[in-house]
Amino acid sequence: MASSDTKTAETDATREQSAGLEAGLDALETSAATRTPFSVTVRSKILPPLVATAVVLVIWQALISFDIVTDPTKLPSPGDVATEFKDAWLEGKLLGYIWTSVERGLLGFLLALAIGTPLGLIVARVKFVRAAIGPVLSGLQSLPSVAWVPPAVLWLGLNNSMMYAVILLGAVPSIANGLVSGIDQVPPLFLRAGRTMGATGWRGALHIVLPAALPGYLAGLKQGWAFSWRSLMAAEIIASSPDLGIGLGALLENGRNASSMPMIFEAIFLILFVGIAVDLLIFSPLERRVLRSRGLLVKG
């Protein structure tokens, strides 16, 4: 009788533990499906950068107002830079500066994506190719993009082809290495399961390898965009020409030639703005979606 009571108590305890586990999983699923309130988003994501920007502007203006920096050729006031933005807007040039560079940067990045992705797959899956060009890709990734501008000008001349060549040489190694790193972290069990189900060759790469390596691949894409943007700015600064139009890099160089610090700050802020905007509008949402699909991001 006592033994039966003991078994009953153990069964009840097991049921309680199972019920608690199910309740915890239900709560986890509920929290994952619940959208973050807009007020929380404002406090956690929008307000902090606005406060940081306001603090920088206050300190910047204080350096001018209290005569800590008295030479306007060294540090212009926020008002002077704002006037430069206003003049460029009224003249209808501001959006042209931005679009000239953004168009080149995005097109160059897409070309780098089309080349770097299959290259990364081949390097990751073919041992001989990896041994042959893997170290070369790592070396190219560490090479400053500005080093490619002089030879690209001599090879292709002052044209858009030269710009795209510099972007490709800077971005392709990062994208390929990011994909290689992601594939190296794919559990071997996934590959064996794919082969068992007939997913071999390019079919296995498309349906097994790439989805499993997506987090590392995405990190490589973000780095590839950063290299694309920096490579383009280096090319526009060094190889500026009226035939190429005035992008943000050329605007920065024009400000240096004119000894206009407000124009230089205008170009710097626009370059920074485009970099942040692309990350917030494209890569951050994509990264959150990938992490959430893997259960690695519950909220946000």
Side-chain angles (χ1 to χ4, degrees):
M1 188 70 176
S3 176
S4 177
D5 292 340
T6 302
K7 291 182 179 179
T8 302
E10 291 177 351
T11 302
D12 292 340
T14 302
R15 289 176 179 175
E16 291 178 357
Q17 292 177 355
S18 300
L21 178 59
E22 292 176 359
L25 292 175
D26 292 340
L28 180 59
E29 292 176 357
T30 302
S31 63
T34 303
R35 289 184 176 274
T36 304
F38 180 72
S39 59
V40 175
T41 301
V42 171
R43 290 197 304 270
S44 62
K45 296 183 179 180
I46 299 178
L47 192 58
L50 291 178
V51 172
T53 302
V55 170
V56 171
L57 289 175
V58 169
I59 295 175
W60 182 6
Q61 183 61 51
L63 293 175
I64 305 298
S65 300
F66 293 104
D67 294 331
I68 298 175
V69 178
T70 58
D71 188 354
T73 62
K74 302 297 183 182
L75 182 66
S77 68
D80 292 338
V81 178
T83 300
E84 192 72 29
F85 273 100
K86 178 182 177 182
D87 293 342
W89 175 262
L90 293 177
E91 293 172 4
K93 297 179 179 179
L94 188 61
L95 295 180
Y97 297 150
I98 297 173
W99 178 245
T100 298
S101 293
V102 169
E103 182 182 24
R104 287 175 181 155
L106 291 179
L107 181 56
F109 174 73
L110 292 177
L111 291 174
L113 181 64
I115 297 174
T117 299
L119 179 61
L121 278 173
I122 294 173
V123 171
R125 304 299 293 165
V126 181
K127 293 183 179 180
F128 175 79
V129 176
R130 183 167 190 162
I133 68 173
V136 177
L137 287 177
S138 299
L140 290 175
Q141 187 175 0
S142 63
L143 183 68
S145 303
V146 67
W148 290 113
V149 178
V153 172
L154 294 177
W155 291 335
L156 302 172
L158 288 173
N159 50 46
N160 282 323
S161 298
M162 177 273 298
M163 299 283 185
Y164 295 133
V166 174
I167 292 174
L168 291 177
L169 290 168
V172 168
S174 296
I175 295 174
N177 280 332
L179 182 54
V180 170
S181 178
I183 292 176
D184 287 344
Q185 298 175 33
V186 175
L189 179 62
F190 290 3
L191 304 179
R192 290 198 296 269
R195 286 194 295 268
T196 301
M197 293 184 293
T200 58
W202 286 106
R203 181 179 298 176
L206 182 62
H207 296 287
I208 304 296
V209 176
L210 277 178
L214 194 55
Y217 180 45
L218 182 58
L221 293 184
K222 291 180 66 174
Q223 192 175 43
W225 162 252
F227 273 83
S228 297
W229 190 237
R230 287 186 290 183
S231 301
L232 176 61
M233 292 301 102
E236 288 186 349
I237 290 172
I238 296 177
S240 58
S241 170
D243 296 335
L244 293 173
I246 301 179
L248 299 180
L251 178 65
L252 185 63
E253 179 65 10
N254 290 344
R256 185 190 71 83
N257 292 332
S259 299
S260 173
M261 284 303 293
M263 186 182 294
I264 291 175
F265 271 69
E266 175 192 18
I268 291 174
F269 288 146
L270 289 175
I271 293 170
L272 183 63
F273 168 77
V274 171
I276 294 174
V278 170
D279 181 72
L280 291 179
L281 296 177
I282 299 178
F283 291 109
S284 290
L286 184 59
E287 186 176 29
R288 287 196 299 269
R289 182 175 180 179
V290 170
L291 294 177
R292 191 179 292 114
S293 67
R294 283 161 169 73
L296 301 176
L297 185 65
V298 176
K299 293 183 179 181

